């Protein structure tokens, strides 16, 4: 990550804490592999000198975020307090959770809330019928934005020129045999979704799974999130998603608009 220069913004450059930035980057690198990691692996992944990474890791260990046997390092459950703080402080989650629960109970299907984070979407809340357990789109789950219905619903907030530039610069590796990766086709699809007010994506992000999403707008009309419902293709048709799920999603999105600042 490049350092901030005084010429860019004197106040931000003065207030920038490089050691904190490095520590956060190092924490994120634990997710790049499964299982414990060595000091060398973490230093290399975070592009830090080995001695710097060592000091940061032992600081994180003392704070309770990292555990080590002297050779290997792992995250501790204490890191979940960071995610919990976000969820407790998020107005979007607080306002949308009752909506997700109601939609899920009515449709007897899982409903999810996602936000845009760079090129990806991250799911930050969900509603699930009591009868249903499902792995997959849990809180914190991330997917590319270009091939998901929540992602396309949120990408529609950008004007055509900016959207085209974002799609061209975005990593667009296919997730399934059905994934559309051509930036021109994606641009046309997102523009069409923006006009109709929803996005339906069929088996592009995950095999055998389709979903429909609508954008969540705050009081001034700005898109800040998206909610969706999805199901296995053998269980719910695209037509049923439009006829049964879409009205519930639209009603929920409209209901919370005046409540989001």
């Amino acid at each position: 990550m490049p350092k901030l220069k005084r010429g860019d913004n004197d106040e931000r450059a003065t207030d920038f804490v490089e050691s904190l930035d490095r520590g956060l980057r190092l924490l994120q690198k634990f997710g790049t592999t499964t299982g414990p990691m060595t000091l060398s692996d973490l230093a290399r992944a975070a592009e830090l000198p080995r001695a710097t990474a060592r000091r940061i890791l032992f600081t994180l260990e003392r704070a309770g975020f990292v555990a080590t046997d002297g050779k290997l390092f792992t995250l501790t459950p204490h890191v979940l307090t960071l995610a919990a703080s976000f969820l407790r402080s998020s107005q979007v989650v607080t306002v949308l959770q009752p909506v997700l629960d109601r939609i899920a109970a009515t449709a007897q299907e899982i409903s999810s809330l996602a936000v845009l984070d760079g090129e990806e979407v991250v799911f930050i809340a969900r509603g699930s019928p009591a009868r249903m357990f499902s792995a997959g789109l849990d809180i914190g789950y991330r997917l590319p934005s270009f091939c998901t219905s929540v992602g396309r619903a949120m990408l529609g907030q950008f004007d055509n020129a900016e959207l085209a530039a974002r799609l061209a610069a975005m990593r667009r590796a296919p997730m399934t045999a059905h994934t559309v990766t051509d930036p021109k086709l994606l641009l046309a699809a997102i523009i069409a979704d923006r006009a109709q007010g929803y996005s339906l994506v069929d088996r592009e992000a995950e095999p055998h799974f389709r979903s429909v999403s609508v954008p969540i707008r705050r009081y001034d009309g700005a898109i800040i999130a998206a909610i969706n419902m999805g199901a296995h293709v053998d269980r719910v048709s695209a037509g049923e998603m439009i006829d049964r799920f879409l009205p519930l999603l639209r009603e929920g999105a409209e209901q919370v608009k005046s409540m989001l600042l």
Side-chain angles (χ1 to χ4, degrees), residues 11-257:
E11 184 178 352
R12 288 180 62 203
T14 302
D15 293 341
F16 183 74
V17 182
E18 187 172 20
S19 59
L20 177 58
D21 175 68
R22 289 176 169 181
L24 293 172
R25 283 163 50 198
L26 197 61
L27 277 175
Q28 291 176 313
K29 296 308 174 182
F30 279 94
T32 59
T33 186
T34 302
M37 298 180 72
T38 66
L39 170 59
S40 297
D41 289 338
L42 286 162
R44 189 180 309 111
E47 299 181 349
L48 293 172
R50 194 173 186 276
T52 300
R54 181 179 183 276
R55 290 195 299 271
I56 292 172
L57 285 167
F58 285 124
T59 301
L60 292 170
E61 181 191 19
R62 184 168 182 176
F65 292 104
V66 167
T68 181
D69 61 4
K71 294 183 179 180
L72 297 173
F73 295 85
T74 58
L75 294 179
T76 71
H78 192 54
V79 299
L80 297 177
T81 61
L82 300 175
S85 295
F86 165 75
L87 294 174
R88 285 194 299 267
S89 64
S90 172
Q91 184 201 29
V92 178
V93 173
T94 301
V95 171
L96 265 298
Q97 187 63 62
V99 174
L100 296 176
D101 293 339
R102 184 174 64 254
I103 290 174
T106 301
Q108 287 297 290
E109 298 290 348
I110 292 172
S111 60
S112 301
L113 168 68
V115 293
L116 196 61
D117 185 18
E119 296 183 358
E120 297 180 315
V121 295
V122 55
F123 291 85
I124 60 173
R126 68 184 301 190
S128 179
R131 67 171 178 81
M132 182 177 294
F133 172 79
S134 174
L137 298 184
D138 292 322
I139 295 174
Y141 195 75
R142 305 177 76 91
L143 284 170
S145 60
F146 77 94
C147 61
T148 58
S149 63
V150 285
R152 291 182 186 174
M154 287 184 282
L155 288 171
Q157 68 186 279
F158 303 111
D159 63 43
N160 293 355
E162 183 175 356
L163 178 57
R166 284 175 174 266
L167 291 171
M170 194 177 290
R171 295 185 296 271
R172 301 184 306 279
M175 302 288 287
T176 74
H178 298 274
T179 307
V180 177
T181 59
D182 184 285
K184 292 182 179 179
L185 295 178
L186 288 169
L187 177 63
I190 295 170
I191 290 174
D193 289 349
R194 180 204 295 150
Q196 66 187 5
Y198 71 90
S199 176
L200 175 66
V201 171
D202 197 342
R203 296 169 291 174
E204 291 192 46
E206 297 182 80
H208 318 300
F209 188 85
R210 61 169 60 103
S211 68
V212 61
S213 297
V214 301
I216 294 296
R217 299 178 183 272
R218 65 186 185 197
Y219 73 99
D220 60 357
I223 294 173
I224 58 173
I227 53 175
N228 87 332
M229 300 197 74
H232 195 281
V233 295
D234 291 339
R235 217 163 37 78
V236 179
S237 68
E240 184 178 0
M241 289 205 159
I242 300 300
D243 295 338
R244 190 159 69 92
F245 296 168
L246 182 57
L248 294 173
L249 294 171
R250 281 178 160 164
E251 180 184 0
E254 186 62 31
Q255 177 188 351
V256 301
K257 186 175 180 180

